[in-house]
Amino acid sequence: MTFTFTPTDLTILLPEITLLTMACLTLAIDAYLPQNMRNLTYQLAQGTLIGTALLVFATYPQQPTVAMSNMFVSDPMGAVLKIFALLIVAVAFLYSKGYLQDRRMFKGEYFVLGLFATLGMMIMISAHSLLTIYLGLELLSLSLYTMVAMHRDSQSATEAAMKYFVLGAIASGMLLYGMSILYGVTNTLDLTTLAQYLNQPQSDNHTFLLFGLVFVIVGLAFKLGAVPFHMWVPDVYQGAPTAVTLFISSAPKLAAFALLMRLLADGLQALHSDWQSILILLSILSMALGNLVAIAQTNLKRMLAYSTIAHVGYLMLGVLTATKGGYAASMFYVLVYSLMSLGAFGMIILLSRAGFEAENISDFKGLNDRSPWYAFIMSILMLSMAGVPPMLGFWAKLSVLNQLVEAGLVWLAVVAVLFAIIGAFYYLRMVWMMYFEKAQDTSPLQANMDLRVAISANGLVILLLGMAPNMLMTLCLGTLGIG
Amino acid sequence: MTTTLIFYFFAATLIFAAFRVITVRNPVHAALFLVLTFFSSAAIWLLLQAEFLAIALVLVYVGAVMVLFLFVVMMLDINFAPLREGFAKHLPVGLTVGFLILIEMVMVVTHWKGLANPSTVVTTEMSNTKMLGQVLYTVYAYPFEIAAAILLVAMIAAIALTSRLHNRAKYQKPEQQVVVRREDRIRLISMPAEPKD
């Protein structure tokens, strides 16, 4: 194995290096801060995220470039996902600040672990080797487990963290086992070499490859929360503090999408006829169970968890076509989904206050009487999630379905539409409650100004981008090399 | 032939021990079976001529981590009654584990040389340790750094989840107790009398 190292490697890695250095610096500074100056940690974290996003933008690659002995790849898709992930984490921090302060959870660890989780996402997004995929995933997961468990006095948070940790560890084990079998057959960890090996005709190894592939997909499905590997999602979303749920449900989904792309599209594209059928099954089950069970929920966080499961099903629809157009549609979907999820959990934080969690669906009853503006924003978010035109969520579903039809999977598109219609029920029920039911809780909203502004912007972005969906879609197509 | 036999022996021991780790009720026994699991996997690594990894596993996991872990298990608030029943009760398990490890060691030491299958193992002049040393900080520098970040996160996590910086213990403040007045503690309110039902 020859080893070459050039200073250009470091330039390509500059955003990751900056993030790691700043995370360590924030950790060191935070240790010496008295509690009344904790705001500085928050500001440092925000500055780091924005600065890193600017760096990614400044080093935006025109074509894929590998670095660090082919273990790191910098490509347009990765850069766009990273910028979105960084900005979404920044917004998530902004939303959580007041919530954490009210609950005596405003500690430096939350932000430092958030930064490390973001680093893990960036490593996953840029991974070009099975090894870095796994390490990035572990860095992300480990930070998330801790963030869930951080509210130690809450029994439900501890229980959620335990479930998340155990199931996450099993998923990592599955993924690693699958990867080890792939390595055993192909004798390489590098994704390009892996793809080259698989492109050669071979029959004797196919069974082993399939065996490995199944484990890899099971691991992926666990991490994505696809049925039947979804059991942790509702418990973790409901049990974790809302600020953490907000974090888990938004940016890590981008990393999970990158994981799918790197493994299935970059590495195992040659096996797509095999993984396509597995993904079809997973996505149908996810759409069905997610949408049906969500109807029966009374807890909003749990309902959104089942809605996540359903959205993961739609997300996989694009990937399973195994075409560049399909990948772009899925990327569009995941970007839109993380924006919507950010807004929806942000609304729960907006309505909560010290000693009160607005986590039940009934807490949103009559929101229009209390605050017509936020009822409007929440309606945008719910209608977008349901896929009602002209919201952004509609275009996301439409582009995925388009790709399915183009790939000749019309029956699957029909099934997806059917479940989307069933799913629309529980989103519209939220809107109905906000406008046509009497408020049970009439106290005024107590959120900070920055949260109010940010969440309004979040809702309006979904509405305005929905008016001009081509902008974001062109971006996604462009990153995958389709003009 | 011999390699295959030895491999299956270790593999079977490994699977048996790993199974026992999760089925025995006593956590100390579980930890001991985990030691056996590590030992068997170390032996399998030796069969693959990965002697550095095998030795590191024995030294680090069996020698350090598991010993610490045993201490932790003993410190935990578990029902100690069955554990305190004496040395004799644990002796059979300890002896079995020790004996198996011993057999494995003897078998490995006497057999592992020359067992390598040339078609599957890359034969080089260098030892496995030297090769690892050459690639660890060069080709694998990037994953190595990520692993370092993971360990840092593990440390942050351990501290964040266990340390209680703010002492919540309740204690008396005598200086405030002596200046307390009746008005601070008792509030008289007049209420209308309730009519009798």
Side-chain angles (χ1 to χ4, degrees):
Chain A
M1 206 179 284
T2 52
F3 170 65
T4 50
F5 177 79
T6 52
T8 358
D9 280 18
L10 290 183
T11 338
I12 297 171
L13 247 79
L14 196 60
E16 279 79 7
I17 295 175
T18 316
L19 183 56
L20 176 62
T21 318
M22 284 304 295
C24 293
L25 199 68
T26 313
L27 177 67
I29 293 176
D30 177 73
Y32 293 98
L33 284 181
Q35 183 62 34
N36 56 5
M37 284 176 68
R38 197 65 66 202
N39 233 341
L40 186 63
T41 313
Y42 165 75
Q43 283 155 357
L44 267 174
Q46 289 288 34
T48 307
L49 290 169
I50 305 293
T52 314
L54 286 176
L55 274 176
V56 178
F57 186 70
T59 55
Y60 189 86
Q62 293 307 320
Q63 69 264 352
T65 327
V66 288
M68 301 307 277
S69 314
N70 296 342
M71 293 202 185
F72 182 94
V73 63
S74 163
D75 59 358
M77 180 192 86
V80 169
L81 285 175
K82 279 183 201 172
I83 294 176
F84 266 88
L86 286 161
L87 295 181
I88 284 173
V89 170
V91 177
F93 278 0
L94 196 157
Y95 286 174
S96 0
K97 190 182 155 215
Y99 179 92
L100 295 172
Q101 278 169 333
D102 288 345
R103 283 159 189 76
R104 292 176 160 210
M105 287 165 63
F106 194 59
K107 292 179 194 157
E109 289 93 347
Y110 176 84
F111 298 106
V112 172
L113 286 170
L115 288 182
F116 275 108
T118 317
L119 180 66
M121 292 177 217
M122 288 177 71
I123 289 168
M124 276 163 78
I125 290 172
S126 269
H128 195 249
S129 148
L130 296 180
L131 189 58
T132 36
I133 289 179
Y134 175 71
L135 285 172
L137 181 64
E138 282 304 283
L139 184 55
L140 170 64
S141 311
L142 201 56
S143 313
L144 292 184
Y145 304 146
T146 319
M147 285 168 88
V148 174
M150 223 148 62
H151 195 24
R152 278 179 302 172
D153 299 329
S154 151
Q155 206 175 355
S156 62
T158 315
E159 189 191 324
M162 199 61 209
K163 281 181 182 159
Y164 194 19
F165 178 69
V166 171
L167 287 177
I170 292 174
S172 294
M174 296 268 187
L175 190 65
L176 206 53
Y177 189 53
M179 284 177 173
S180 75
I181 290 168
L182 289 181
Y183 176 72
V185 177
T186 62
N187 209 14
T188 179
L189 290 170
D190 182 71
L191 290 180
T192 313
T193 328
L194 186 70
Q196 278 164 2
Y197 178 92
L198 295 177
N199 276 329
Q200 298 159 356
Q202 79 243 256
S203 52
D204 50 335
N205 282 335
H206 195 245
T207 322
F208 289 109
L209 286 171
L210 273 189
F211 190 70
L213 176 74
V214 168
F215 276 97
V216 166
I217 291 184
V218 169
L220 284 176
F222 252 118
K223 294 292 176 189
L224 277 166
V227 180
F229 308 103
H230 65 286
M231 292 79 88
W232 60 274
V233 183
D235 290 335
V236 171
Y237 275 38
Q238 189 184 4
T242 310
V244 178
T245 314
L246 165 78
F247 190 94
I248 295 179
S249 71
S250 51
K253 292 286 177 256
L254 299 179
F257 166 73
L259 193 67
L260 264 182
M261 286 295 293
R262 295 293 178 213
L263 275 170
L264 298 186
D266 288 2
L268 304 170
Q269 176 78 30
L271 295 177
H272 77 88
S273 55
D274 298 311
W275 53 254
Q276 186 179 49
S277 41
I278 307 180
L279 287 195
I280 289 178
L281 187 68
L282 288 176
S283 64
I284 292 179
L285 286 174
S286 302
M287 289 186 294
L289 188 129
N291 279 326
L292 290 174
V293 181
I295 295 174
Q297 302 307 317
T298 55
N299 183 299
L300 183 56
K301 279 159 87 179
R302 212 172 170 82
M303 187 194 98
L304 287 174
Y306 281 106
S307 124
T308 305
I309 295 172
H311 281 291
V312 164
Y314 288 99
L315 165 66
M316 287 192 294
L317 289 180
V319 176
L320 64 81
T321 60
T323 58
K324 286 212 163 168
Y327 298 148
S330 276
M331 184 176 165
F332 182 52
Y333 199 98
V334 77
L335 292 178
V336 172
Y337 171 71
S338 49
L339 276 176
M340 296 188 301
S341 176
L342 194 65
F345 284 102
M347 284 301 297
I348 299 181
I349 290 186
L350 181 84
L351 261 69
S352 303
R353 53 182 179 269
F356 173 72
E357 299 275 331
E359 60 173 18
N360 284 318
I361 294 178
S362 55
D363 294 330
F364 279 75
K365 275 185 186 169
L367 184 62
N368 187 40
D369 299 335
R370 294 165 66 194
S371 162
W373 173 246
Y374 294 108
F376 170 66
I377 297 285
M378 188 64 178
S379 311
I380 293 179
L381 291 166
M382 287 295 122
L383 292 176
S384 178
M385 280 199 169
V388 175
M391 308 301 171
L392 203 49
F394 166 72
W395 301 108
K397 280 207 170 65
L398 187 69
S399 62
V400 169
L401 294 176
N402 249 336
Q403 290 301 325
L404 274 185
V405 174
E406 267 183 39
L409 293 162
V410 181
W411 66 273
L412 189 55
V414 173
V415 172
V417 170
L418 279 179
F419 285 120
I421 293 169
I422 295 173
F425 167 73
Y426 59 90
Y427 297 119
L428 294 178
R429 185 178 59 184
M430 285 293 295
V431 178
W432 166 269
M433 279 189 173
M434 286 189 293
Y435 283 95
F436 300 107
E437 299 230 4
K438 267 205 121 38
Q440 292 174 334
D441 168 27
T442 48
S443 51
L445 304 181
Q446 296 177 354
N448 297 331
M449 205 50 184
D450 47 357
L451 172 58
R452 285 166 184 256
V453 173
I455 208 157
S456 306
N458 191 332
L460 290 179
V461 160
I462 288 170
L463 182 63
L464 294 178
L465 280 180
M467 304 288 184
N470 278 337
M471 260 166 56
L472 199 56
M473 193 62 210
T474 319
L475 181 72
C476 294
L477 285 169
T479 59
L480 284 151
I482 316 168
Chain B
M1 182 59 203
T2 347
T3 327
T4 324
L5 273 181
I6 293 176
F7 169 77
Y8 279 116
F9 173 73
F10 287 135
T13 320
L14 177 70
I15 292 169
F16 165 76
F19 183 71
R20 289 303 281 163
V21 172
I22 53 170
T23 47
V24 288
R25 285 181 162 273
N26 190 325
V28 176
H29 292 183
L32 286 173
F33 273 114
L34 198 55
V35 170
L36 181 61
T37 315
F38 285 141
F39 229 92
S40 310
S41 39
I44 291 176
W45 273 348
L46 269 186
L47 283 177
L48 291 171
Q49 290 197 332
E51 66 271 8
F52 177 78
L53 288 179
I55 292 167
L57 187 71
V58 172
L59 284 184
V60 176
Y61 274 90
V62 178
V65 175
M66 283 317 294
V67 172
L68 274 178
F69 197 77
L70 269 175
F71 274 118
V72 172
V73 168
M74 289 171 185
M75 298 276 179
L76 283 180
D77 189 21
I78 41 178
N79 188 8
F80 279 107
L83 300 182
R84 285 197 180 133
E85 282 171 15
F87 181 69
K89 197 176 174 240
H90 297 298
L91 196 61
V93 184
L95 274 185
T96 322
V97 173
F99 185 64
L100 281 173
I101 290 177
L102 188 73
I103 295 179
E104 289 187 353
M105 278 167 80
V106 169
M107 289 175 78
V108 167
V109 168
T110 50
H111 281 97
W112 78 274
K113 271 185 188 172
L115 281 182
N117 186 349
S119 65
T120 54
V121 176
V122 188
T123 47
T124 46
E125 296 298 307
M126 282 184 283
S127 72
N128 173 261
T129 317
K130 199 170 176 185
M131 271 180 74
L132 265 181
Q134 286 196 342
V135 292
L136 191 58
Y137 297 102
T138 53
V139 179
Y140 291 95
Y142 178 57
F144 187 80
E145 293 296 327
I146 305 173
I150 293 178
L151 289 181
L152 179 62
V153 168
M155 203 163 79
I156 301 171
I159 295 172
L161 294 183
T162 51
S163 85
R164 289 207 181 261
L165 281 178
H166 304 287
N167 192 3
R168 295 210 198 149
K170 293 192 166 56
Y171 52 92
Q172 292 180 320
K173 292 180 181 163
E175 73 280 9
Q176 287 182 15
Q177 280 178 322
V178 292
V179 297
V180 79
R181 290 168 305 152
R182 177 176 172 273
E183 290 76 37
D184 295 336
R185 296 287 161 86
I186 299 171
R187 189 161 57 97
L188 293 175
I189 47 174
S190 63
M191 291 175 70
E194 294 274 328
K196 204 173 178 183
D197 289 324

